[in-house]
Amino acid sequence: MKRILVTGGLGYIGSHTVVELQAAGYKVVIIDNLSNSTMDVLDGIAAISSERPDTEILDLRDKEKVHTFFNDYNNIEGIIHFAASKAVGESVENPLLYYENNVGSLVYLLKECRDRGIENFIFSSSCTVYGQPDTLPITEDAPVKPAISPYGNTKQISEEIIRDLSHASNLRAISLRYFNPIGAHGSAEIGELPKGVPQNLVPYITQTAAGIREELSVFGNDYPTPDGSCIRDYIHIVDLAKAHVIALQRLISKENTDDFEIFNVGTGKGSSVLEVIHAFEEVTGNKLNYKIVDRRPGDVISVYADTGKANRVLGWKAEKTMEEALASAWAWEKKVRGIQ
Ligand code: NAD
Ligand code: UFG
């Protein structure tokens, strides 16, 4: 049976996607180097799927090991490439790590695709490529703006590399531009578990509610938005995971109309930071300790997706609400911390 390679499959989005792939009948092999995940994630996947996917612990920056992997697994039908470093601040301090890990590894993987005739490739991109868009909601035709961070730049460069190879080979690729993924699997067997202090809003909220962080800082309430806090498009992780399965199916069945296609993956609805906080309080009954602080450098004011293309062309639509996502994030946090 052919397999789907999921790089970074033990990470947050990768693990949820592995579950959905297995539910759809795909046989999966994971590559991960555990730089931002642990082997326990495999137990969570197995508990949900009753299937433990083959997993190779290796670093995609090791070209020789990547080559050997493809010799060992010579039946890869498609690749979903999640593995990357993703901390925006760290990328400013250590840009070469980001260019090597996010761009270098991608080149090695694509070489294997070209040399072995692997045709189906899904890439994890980000709405960060749009910067602060001129019009909202954002369509896929919106211009890519100069990146604010090396991390954002790796996503832009990676899309260009994949596009170029798709024109020069048999590669068919889809770039999914994620908006803000949040939440956890409904079973609470897998979820988001950032190492160290969370950089993202929802894990910071759940850790504050769990008493691990004293206080949540809201970065600015003087933006030109209805309540003054920034607006994002928060998408449930399970909806996002399902979009990958549909995109993969499109490539495998050769329904794609271009060798390189781009889709926004969001809900189409913008929510402010304060709305997220109040929704969390409402859904979980927790009162959150938060304070307004200065703006965070590099934050854009407002971003949310036009999801029309994904709805029409992929037949995919986000189904879950932000409230469901926040409830699942809290259920996961409680399980991890042993809170009743
Ligand atoms: P994550 O850190 O939870 O998962 C990434 C996984 O890749 C981790 O398990 C890590 O150990 C692994 N990895 C990293 N470098 C590797 C390497 N060189 N070799 C092998 N494994 C390696 O991150 P995530 O949130 O699941 O994000 C997945 C992808 O989606 C990334 O490409 C990220 O840039 C992109 N993305 C994430 C978000 C978000 O908000 N989470 C938004 C937009 C795009
Ligand atoms: N925020 C706070 N306090 C916090 C954390 C975040 O107020 O402690 C605010 C931010 O200022 C922002 C909003 O919450 O207004 C969301 O912030 P996140 O850090 O959760 O998400 P971002 O939109 O900044 O960025 C995330 C990922 C990027 C990715 C982008 C788009 O971190 O890697 O989504 O997918 F590119």
Side-chain angles (χ1 to χ4, degrees):
M1 191 177 177
K2 293 191 166 174
R3 285 169 188 267
I4 304 304
L5 166 60
V6 180
T7 75
L10 297 182
Y12 175 43
I13 309 172
S15 57
H16 289 81
T17 302
V18 168
V19 164
E20 296 304 324
L21 284 168
Q22 294 193 147
Y26 288 101
K27 186 122 184 86
V28 171
V29 54
I30 291 172
I31 288 181
D32 206 297
N33 70 351
L34 303 179
S35 58
N36 201 31
S37 52
T38 63
M39 285 304 275
D40 300 345
V41 176
L42 261 187
D43 298 334
I45 294 172
I48 300 166
S49 300
S50 324
E51 189 171 354
R52 213 180 168 80
D54 284 349
T55 301
E56 298 293 327
I57 301 305
L58 69 89
D59 195 315
L60 290 167
R61 286 169 292 189
D62 189 333
K63 192 178 173 184
E64 285 312 312
K65 290 218 170 105
V66 171
H67 190 68
T68 305
F69 168 89
F70 281 97
N71 284 339
D72 294 345
Y73 290 86
N74 56 11
N75 58 352
I76 302 291
E77 185 175 28
I79 300 177
I80 306 185
H81 181 44
F82 293 104
S85 302
K86 64 166 186 176
V88 175
E90 184 187 46
S91 80
V92 175
E93 282 154 28
N94 193 355
L96 292 185
L97 168 69
Y98 277 68
Y99 289 112
E100 186 181 32
N101 204 31
N102 297 8
V103 182
S105 299
L106 171 72
V107 171
Y108 298 157
L109 266 184
L110 290 176
K111 272 188 179 165
E112 298 295 335
C113 289
R114 182 198 60 194
D115 296 347
R116 296 169 192 268
I118 299 168
E119 294 183 345
N120 306 306
F121 196 89
I122 311 272
F123 177 66
S124 294
S125 189
S126 166
C127 67
T128 192
V129 302
Y130 298 119
Q132 178 60 64
D134 303 324
T135 51
L136 289 167
I138 310 167
T139 66
E140 290 81 354
D141 299 329
V144 165
K145 295 273 178 75
I148 293 165
S149 70
Y151 166 74
N153 207 21
T154 67
K155 293 297 174 193
Q156 298 189 4
I157 294 168
S158 296
E159 285 195 349
E160 287 171 8
I161 292 171
I162 298 165
R163 180 190 283 114
D164 288 346
L165 184 66
S166 75
H167 293 155
S169 73
N170 290 334
L171 191 76
R172 292 188 301 273
I174 289 180
S175 182
L176 297 178
R177 290 179 176 166
Y178 313 153
F179 284 67
N180 289 54
I182 60 166
H185 192 266
S187 63
E189 293 287 353
I190 53 174
E192 186 172 16
L193 197 55
K195 286 189 174 167
V197 181
Q199 307 298 309
N200 297 116
L201 179 62
V202 170
Y204 210 106
I205 288 177
T206 55
Q207 289 198 11
T208 306
I212 296 155
R213 310 282 153 207
E214 205 170 304
E215 189 174 51
L216 169 74
S217 295
V218 174
F219 299 133
N221 69 346
D222 56 353
Y223 285 99
T225 62
D227 66 19
S229 63
C230 290
I231 291 177
R232 298 287 182 275
D233 184 340
Y234 295 94
I235 174 166
H236 196 300
I237 185 70
V238 172
D239 278 331
L240 175 60
K242 286 181 175 164
H244 291 80
V245 179
I246 294 172
L248 180 71
Q249 194 55 51
R250 176 174 174 83
L251 292 180
I252 289 176
S253 57
K254 299 191 166 66
E255 289 165 49
N256 57 306
T257 52
D258 203 336
D259 290 335
F260 179 70
E261 294 181 319
I262 294 172
F263 295 96
N264 285 342
V265 191
T267 66
K269 184 177 179 293
S271 304
S272 74
V273 175
L274 292 170
E275 281 172 340
V276 175
I277 291 172
H278 296 138
F280 180 84
E281 290 182 328
E282 183 93 351
V283 165
T284 65
N286 281 292
K287 194 91 196 85
L288 262 185
N289 191 19
Y290 71 90
K291 69 163 183 240
I292 311 291
V293 301
D294 287 347
R295 294 180 177 193
R296 182 171 70 176
D299 270 342
V300 291
I301 304 165
S302 186
V303 277
Y304 49 95
D306 183 320
T307 58
K309 186 177 175 195
N311 300 165
R312 246 182 358 263
V313 179
L314 289 180
W316 170 91
K317 199 173 191 313
E319 285 167 357
K320 294 177 182 289
T321 61
M322 189 175 72
E323 285 72 17
E324 283 174 89
L326 292 171
S328 67
W330 180 231
W332 162 249
E333 186 76 58
K334 282 199 294 186
K335 172 159 185 219
V336 170
R337 310 296 167 194
I339 299 170
Q340 289 306 309

